[in-house]
């Protein structure tokens, strides 16, 4: 099993294909540096929900589901 750390903005198409073709061969983890951005995006979505705003893709769906 290969340890593979997911780092935002650095995943290549070859890496995606390798992981997709044999997912059981990989142990995936997130780069700890991305945690603040994840928390910030979570707060943004929570704010949208709390203020009952309509935001495309958050509470409307996407494309034909909107």
């Amino acid at each position: 099993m290969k340890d593979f750390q997911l780092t935002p903005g650095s995943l290549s198409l070859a890496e995606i294909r390798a992981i997709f073709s044999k997912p059981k061969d990989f142990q995936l983890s997130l780069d700890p540096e991305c945690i603040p951005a994840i928390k910030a995006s979570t707060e943004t979505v929570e704010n949208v929900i709390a203020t009952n705003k309509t935001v495309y893709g958050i509470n409307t769906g996407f494309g034909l589901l909107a």
Side-chain angles (χ1 to χ4, degrees):
M1 183 165 298
K2 301 171 191 170
D3 287 331
F4 190 88
Q5 187 173 70
L6 298 170
T7 302
S10 70
L11 195 60
S12 72
L13 184 55
E15 291 168 329
I16 293 170
R17 285 181 175 147
I19 293 166
F20 184 76
S21 69
K22 295 186 178 180
K24 292 182 180 180
D25 288 353
F26 293 87
Q27 176 66 42
L28 302 178
S29 63
L30 286 175
D31 179 350
E33 297 277 324
C34 71
I35 300 302
I38 292 170
K39 287 182 179 180
S41 64
T42 300
E43 289 174 10
T44 299
V45 172
E46 288 172 346
N47 183 50
V48 167
I49 293 166
T51 59
N52 207 26
K53 293 179 183 174
T54 300
V55 178
Y56 179 76
I58 293 177
N59 53 12
T60 66
F62 290 99
L64 296 175
L65 300 174

